[in-house]
Amino acid sequence: MSLLVMGFLNAGCAKEKEKAKQNNPAPVTVARAAVRDVPVELRAIGNVEAYSTVALKSRVAGIITAVHFKEGDDVPKGALLFTIDPRPFQASLTQAKANLARDRANAQNAKEQARRYAGLWQEGIVTREQYDQLQANADALAASVASLSAAVESAKLQLDYCYIRSPLSGRTGGLTTHAGNLVKENDTALVTINQITPLYVTFSLPEKDLAAIKGRVGGKLPVTASVPGSAVAEQGTVSFLDNGVDPATGTIKVKGTFSNRERKLWPGQFVNVALRLDVRKGAVVVPTRALQTGQQGDFVFLVKPDATVEVRPVTVGPAQDGVTVIEKGLAPGDTVVTDGQLKLVPGGKVAVKGGTPA
């Protein structure tokens, strides 16, 4: 009999505890649905590339007599970078000019002789054979003058190659050789110059996004690039869309051009890229952490004025910076639970942590 009474007492206590537990409000964090302009963006990981890259090589063989810059210097277009010993090439130019002057004098004399013999041949004083021989000699010397003129120009060009100048404005890399070394023609690159203002950021997008960007390339699509861990983003525009989708990855290569005036981007870096397609004006948004997924789709826990919650199905749109657009299911000002959903049941009481909703 006593055991039966104890059983009834224990059952009654359990019901009371369960009832008390159900009546205790669940602590939650909430937020209100707000109206905001939300950008519609495509995000990817990109790689920074120099706008132009030039590996300077010598066009002539010789000894480097001077290096006119330091590694890592910024150099303007046309700046003198290396000097190769010009004396052998200056001597060749002087010799070519002397040969040209000699043959010009001989050609002028042969021309005058042929002109005089032409008159003598007309008068019958000399034979046609003598005249033809002098005319052929004059023509040969004239051709020799043309050949030596080309040789002078070639010697000038070889001498000019002794002074290696920057073909673009950019930043120099590491030196591979120094003054006093012998360099060969078209051998190892002496230094590499990268143009980093402006520069490119290359990234890949899934082929499903091709329709959204095709036809809008060429300064019409804004794109931002930021170094991971940095809140500052560089602004640029999409300037290149590849002419085919990579069948191995199902992606298409895209390039953005950035002015990079402050040089926050550097060739070889990996950056976070955001390509803006549109801006949703006046969209209803909630924190993304408020969204839950069930068998019927996405839903949120809506806090009603009597501090109880109900399950509200929603249709979600694009997400951006921790908030998600709600296409259907919520109105501006609705309060939703952002933390503590695991303890909630439809119709259950809630207690907002910290008092009022954020």
Side-chain angles (χ1 to χ4, degrees):
M1 184 65 179
S2 61
L3 291 175
L4 185 59
V5 172
M6 289 293 292
F8 279 116
L9 290 175
N10 289 336
C13 291
K15 289 180 181 180
E16 290 296 329
K17 289 180 180 180
E18 183 67 24
K19 185 176 180 181
K21 184 177 180 181
Q22 290 179 356
N23 290 333
N24 287 336
V28 295
T29 301
V30 298
R32 287 196 177 97
V35 177
R36 183 185 300 181
D37 294 341
V38 179
V40 180
E41 296 180 339
L42 302 177
R43 293 182 175 268
I45 302 296
N47 183 250
V48 182
E49 296 180 0
Y51 193 81
S52 298
T53 299
V54 175
L56 290 182
K57 296 183 178 181
S58 175
R59 297 289 301 273
V60 294
I63 295 176
I64 295 178
T65 57
V67 178
H68 303 279
F69 69 98
K70 295 180 181 178
E71 294 177 312
D73 278 354
D74 291 315
V75 294
K77 183 178 180 179
L80 180 61
L81 302 181
F82 298 92
T83 298
I84 296 174
D85 188 2
R87 292 174 298 177
F89 303 96
Q90 183 64 59
S92 296
L93 176 59
T94 302
Q95 182 180 10
K97 285 181 177 180
N99 293 337
L100 176 61
R102 180 199 62 203
D103 277 24
R104 273 179 176 170
N106 292 334
Q108 183 64 29
N109 181 53
K111 182 179 179 181
E112 289 299 323
Q113 284 187 344
R115 184 182 62 81
R116 287 194 299 267
Y117 268 67
L120 295 175
W121 171 64
Q122 293 291 339
E123 296 176 3
I125 299 175
V126 297
T127 64
R128 175 63 182 266
E129 182 181 358
Q130 290 175 310
Y131 165 70
D132 288 343
Q133 183 177 2
L134 288 174
Q135 184 63 48
N137 185 44
D139 292 341
L141 287 173
S144 178
V145 168
S147 175
L148 288 175
S149 296
V152 169
E153 294 301 319
S154 177
K156 287 181 180 179
L157 192 59
Q158 294 294 308
L159 180 60
D160 188 57
Y161 287 154
C162 293
Y163 304 96
I164 302 176
R165 303 179 183 274
S166 175
L168 51 83
S169 297
R171 190 177 182 90
T172 59
L175 274 169
T176 61
T177 188
H178 299 270
N181 287 313
L182 175 66
V183 294
K184 297 180 180 179
E185 179 182 355
N186 196 29
D187 197 19
T188 306
L190 306 178
V191 71
T192 299
I193 303 175
N194 283 337
Q195 184 177 357
I196 58 178
T197 53
L199 48 63
Y200 292 123
V201 173
T202 301
F203 55 99
S204 296
L205 292 175
E207 60 180 314
K208 65 181 179 64
D209 297 324
L210 178 59
I213 61 176
K214 187 170 57 177
R216 301 175 64 185
V217 177
K220 299 179 181 179
L221 276 179
V223 61
T224 61
S226 59
V227 179
S230 173
V232 181
E234 280 288 310
Q235 306 293 324
T237 55
V238 174
S239 56
F240 170 76
L241 179 67
D242 205 357
N243 59 0
V245 176
D246 186 350
T249 60
T251 60
I252 188 166
K253 184 168 72 172
V254 185
K255 278 187 181 181
T257 302
F258 294 78
S259 61
N260 197 36
R261 292 187 180 91
E262 298 181 7
R263 301 195 174 185
K264 296 175 183 176
L265 305 179
W266 213 250
Q269 276 184 317
F270 287 95
V271 292
N272 296 320
V273 177
L275 192 157
R276 180 167 295 186
L277 298 176
D278 197 4
V279 177
R280 297 285 296 273
K281 300 289 187 179
V284 178
V285 299
V286 297
T288 302
R289 62 180 183 273
L291 294 173
Q292 304 292 305
T293 302
Q295 294 181 349
Q296 305 301 321
D298 296 314
F299 68 92
V300 296
F301 283 102
L302 178 68
V303 180
K304 297 194 292 186
D306 60 355
T308 60
V309 294
E310 72 167 89
V311 174
R312 177 68 62 86
V314 293
T315 302
V316 300
Q320 174 72 24
D321 295 332
V323 298
T324 299
V325 174
I326 303 300
E327 305 280 4
K328 183 179 179 182
L330 290 178
D334 284 346
T335 302
V336 295
V337 177
T338 58
D339 188 38
Q341 292 96 328
L342 292 178
K343 301 178 181 179
L344 300 182
V345 293
K349 290 279 187 178
V350 294
V352 178
K353 295 180 183 179
T356 58

